[in-house]
Amino acid sequence: MLIHSFLLASTLSLAVSGVSATAAADSAEFFVPGRFIVEYQPELTKRSTLTASNPHEDFHQALAAIHPAGGVRSHFNYSSPLFTGASFSIHDSPDAIARLKSLPNVLNIWPVKRFDVLQTDATDMKQTSHAFGERNWNPHAHTGVAELHSKGLSGQNITIAIIDTGVDYTHPALGGGIGPGHKIVGGYNFVGPLSGTSSNNKTGPSNSQIDQYNPLDCQGHGTHVAGIIAAKDDQNIVGVAPNATIRAYKIFGCSGGTSEDIVIAALQTAFRDGADIITASVGLSGQGLLDGPANLIASRLVEYGVFVSIAAGNSGIEGPRYPSSPGAGEYVTAVGSAESNAILTWNATAHSSSGESITFKYSTARGVLPNISDTTFPVDFLADNADDCTALAAHAANGSALLLPLSSACENAKLYTAAQNNGYKVVLRYTDNPLKYSVPTYSVQGFSIDVFGIAADLGAWARNQTKAGHNLTISLDTLAAQPGVIEADTPRYVSEFSTWGPHFENGLFYPALVAPGGSILSTWLDGRYSIMSGSSMATPYVCTFSQFFLDTISTNPFF
């Protein structure tokens, strides 16, 4: 727990956070049907009916005896000081699991959970410039990492295991290759062939079969995580530990989610490969009980001296008490998200029927380009009814966009429901404080509308124009334009999407801490860069910083 205490008090300036909630789904959504994980004794005990030579053979013989008609499939055998067991599928045998639990060597059996990458949205940056460079984008000055870099701490002699979608190791900022002498020294591919792995159909060293040792990314998420940890591109970004060694464990294919037994296989493989740190931005919100198998193994890793950071989840908008598995493991460092020190903005122009116009910048609630087909649309300005949810719900839309002050007393969920039901495509929010820029960090998950944040001066101008009886339209410069960067009004505030609250079982606050995770620039597929938001982005930041602490105390006589 010493690491936790130090991180909370360190120059990271990370705020304390906690758990979240999302509406309950039924078990079919949470679990892989018919698939189970079993833990059994690591050594054989006396059996009267079986002649197995090891605990895996012993269990599978018992499984075959209980279900002799077939329909049983073995997926993984787990053998390590952390966990001895297996994952398997069994169908059409309602009593089989109860009978397996009664076996003398079996310790526990769990259904296999479905896991997803924990992110919000991404903006793909097809090219970069100095506008997205160290001065504007890097959060290291706020967290204290820049000072550590100035003292020569940059991740030397650290091996970090990334359990994610793999890594695009061909990216120049990530070393341009894989193997000895490269930043990405190796890893493992748990999910199959590499065909069609990216927009350029990059296939890596082998595409003829499952290449177990080729963790090439084809989703982008793991590449983004790797850049936060170890990117080194002087014109764009520098990771927290640019000289760290990375091992990538690919547990997701080119789309979709993964399963808990694959996550466990990756955790055990990373442990076997000697990782100093393991980071995983994966999980299942609302299933964060202490005794889940992935939670147990992650906690056991910490007991063996491995620092484990896992994303807390992105369900904060739903409320407290929604921890994610495996981030809810007892000794795991669950990481939530705080807002970055910079905001992405795009350019637009507001036009009045009076002949006046004003150019302005807007941000988006998702931190990505708006997903709308029209670049010019009429605007309704309803400042006088902004606090009246009933009036908003009854209002007939006269335009595609609704302009409202951020101070509206109508809660966001009701406001966005009314806007969406009335046919609006965009809601524009502005602050009444002329010194502030409106940044719509609140969630729009589940809504088809886009939410823009705009500056106070545009709100005042729009109010004057509409009171004079003029009509307004807004034109976006282009949906393909590269965004600009402005300084954030609320850097280090906990992101609204970040999961928070007390833990289900042990009463601890969840997550353990937060780090920069809102609107983070990092590496992307095919040599590109992207902006992403989520606890997934905060988690690698914390995992790397932990090693700086360990390096310091290893040579400090006061510890």
Side-chain angles (χ1 to χ4, degrees):
M1 301 309 293
L2 182 61
I3 293 175
H4 290 246
S5 300
F6 172 80
L7 285 169
L8 285 168
S10 73
T11 53
L12 266 173
S13 303
L14 299 176
V16 178
S17 166
V19 185
S20 93
T22 284
D26 67 18
S27 59
E29 181 181 348
F30 285 147
F31 301 104
V32 180
R35 194 155 169 166
F36 299 90
I37 295 167
V38 58
E39 182 178 21
Y40 37 75
Q41 297 284 357
E43 298 179 357
L44 287 171
T45 58
K46 184 177 180 180
R47 292 290 185 87
S48 60
T49 58
L50 300 177
T51 58
S53 60
N54 63 67
H56 298 305
E57 184 180 352
D58 180 69
F59 175 76
H60 289 293
Q61 285 184 14
L63 181 60
I66 287 173
H67 200 280
V72 176
R73 181 182 175 189
S74 176
H75 299 288
F76 292 97
N77 286 334
Y78 307 116
S79 298
S80 79
L82 302 169
F83 189 91
T84 300
S87 72
F88 62 96
S89 295
I90 186 168
H91 298 280
D92 303 323
S93 183
D95 66 336
I97 299 304
R99 294 173 65 188
L100 287 170
K101 282 185 176 180
S102 69
L103 295 175
N105 282 356
V106 169
L107 301 176
N108 210 338
I109 299 179
W110 302 267
V112 172
K113 301 184 190 76
R114 303 179 189 271
F115 284 165
D116 295 305
V117 290
L118 295 175
Q119 69 181 68
T120 54
D121 295 277
T123 297
D124 187 356
M125 310 293 291
K126 296 180 174 58
Q127 59 186 14
T128 58
S129 68
H130 291 283
F132 308 104
E134 174 87 13
R135 181 178 64 83
N136 286 327
W137 260 100
N138 225 311
H140 301 333
H142 285 257
T143 62
V145 168
E147 183 178 354
L148 295 175
H149 285 177
S150 71
K151 295 180 177 180
L153 289 171
S154 58
Q156 306 93 321
N157 304 316
I158 299 173
T159 299
I160 300 173
I162 299 174
I163 297 176
D164 212 293
T165 64
V167 174
D168 184 355
Y169 47 76
T170 67
H171 198 294
L174 297 175
I178 188 171
H182 289 283
K183 187 186 298 290
I184 316 296
V185 296
Y188 203 87
N189 175 7
F190 290 92
V191 292
L194 297 165
S195 58
T197 57
S198 77
S199 58
N200 290 339
N201 292 317
K202 190 183 301 175
T203 58
S206 171
N207 192 36
S208 59
Q209 57 183 352
I210 295 177
D211 189 338
Q212 293 179 330
Y213 298 99
N214 185 5
L216 188 66
D217 188 9
C218 51
Q219 281 204 39
H221 187 273
T223 299
H224 199 274
V225 166
I228 293 168
I229 293 173
K232 192 172 185 179
D233 181 345
D234 292 337
Q235 290 189 351
N236 295 292
I237 58 172
V238 176
V240 180
N243 292 320
T245 296
I246 302 296
R247 301 189 70 89
Y249 299 88
K250 180 175 179 174
I251 61 169
F252 295 91
C254 297
S255 62
T258 191
S259 58
E260 188 173 20
D261 54 342
I262 295 176
V263 174
I264 290 172
L267 288 168
Q268 296 219 109
T269 304
F271 176 68
R272 180 200 66 197
D273 291 345
D276 301 305
I277 297 169
I278 297 175
T279 185
S281 294
V282 303
L284 174 62
S285 292
Q287 292 291 305
L289 301 175
L290 293 178
D291 71 343
N295 297 6
L296 290 173
I297 292 170
S299 290
R300 291 171 187 175
L301 279 162
V302 179
E303 293 182 293
Y304 270 88
V306 179
F307 185 87
V308 179
S309 65
I310 298 179
N314 302 324
S315 300
I317 192 65
E318 303 292 347
R321 288 194 180 276
Y322 216 67
S324 175
S325 174
E330 186 170 7
Y331 304 124
V332 170
T333 299
V335 183
S337 171
E339 289 304 301
S340 175
N341 58 308
I343 305 167
L344 272 185
T345 61
W346 289 266
N347 295 323
T349 303
H351 305 274
S352 169
S353 59
S354 69
E356 294 185 34
S357 63
I358 184 172
T359 58
F360 66 96
K361 296 181 182 297
Y362 67 93
S363 61
T364 71
R366 296 184 174 94
V368 299
L369 288 169
N371 184 27
I372 54 178
S373 57
D374 297 327
T375 58
T376 299
F377 41 83
V379 177
D380 283 352
F381 185 51
L382 302 178
D384 294 336
N385 293 320
D387 295 334
D388 188 342
C389 293
T390 303
L392 288 171
H395 177 74
N398 294 315
S400 299
L402 178 63
L403 179 62
L404 292 170
L406 195 61
S407 59
S408 170
C410 183
E411 64 182 64
N412 291 324
K414 292 181 179 179
L415 191 156
Y416 298 150
T417 298
Q420 182 172 280
N421 290 344
N422 290 337
Y424 288 108
K425 304 299 182 184
V426 173
V427 174
L428 300 104
R429 308 298 298 274
Y430 68 91
T431 175
D432 293 323
N433 184 342
L435 300 179
K436 293 287 186 179
Y437 187 92
S438 172
V439 182
T441 56
Y442 33 79
S443 173
V444 289
Q445 294 177 6
F447 294 98
S448 61
I449 58 173
D450 283 284
V451 179
F452 296 175
I454 59 176
D457 55 355
L458 176 61
W461 178 85
R463 179 189 293 271
N464 292 335
Q465 293 294 319
T466 54
K467 281 191 173 182
H470 301 300
N471 297 320
L472 301 179
T473 61
I474 285 179
S475 298
L476 309 182
D477 283 359
T478 170
L479 294 181
Q482 291 292 307
V485 177
I486 64 172
E487 191 71 16
D489 285 328
T490 57
R492 293 171 287 182
Y493 279 41
V494 175
S495 304
E496 190 182 45
F497 58 75
S498 187
T499 294
W500 63 280
H503 194 282
F504 278 157
E505 295 180 85
N506 60 10
L508 294 176
F509 211 68
Y510 177 94
L513 44 84
V514 300
S519 299
I520 302 299
L521 174 69
S522 187
T523 45
W524 195 247
L525 302 178
D526 301 324
R528 303 198 302 272
Y529 295 83
S530 74
I531 303 294
M532 296 181 72
S533 295
S535 57
S536 285
M537 288 57 257
T539 302
Y541 205 101
V542 166
C543 86
T544 311
F545 188 86
S546 70
Q547 189 62 38
F548 293 151
F549 171 61
L550 295 176
D551 286 347
T552 300
I553 65 172
S554 66
T555 58
N556 191 319
F558 293 102
F559 286 95

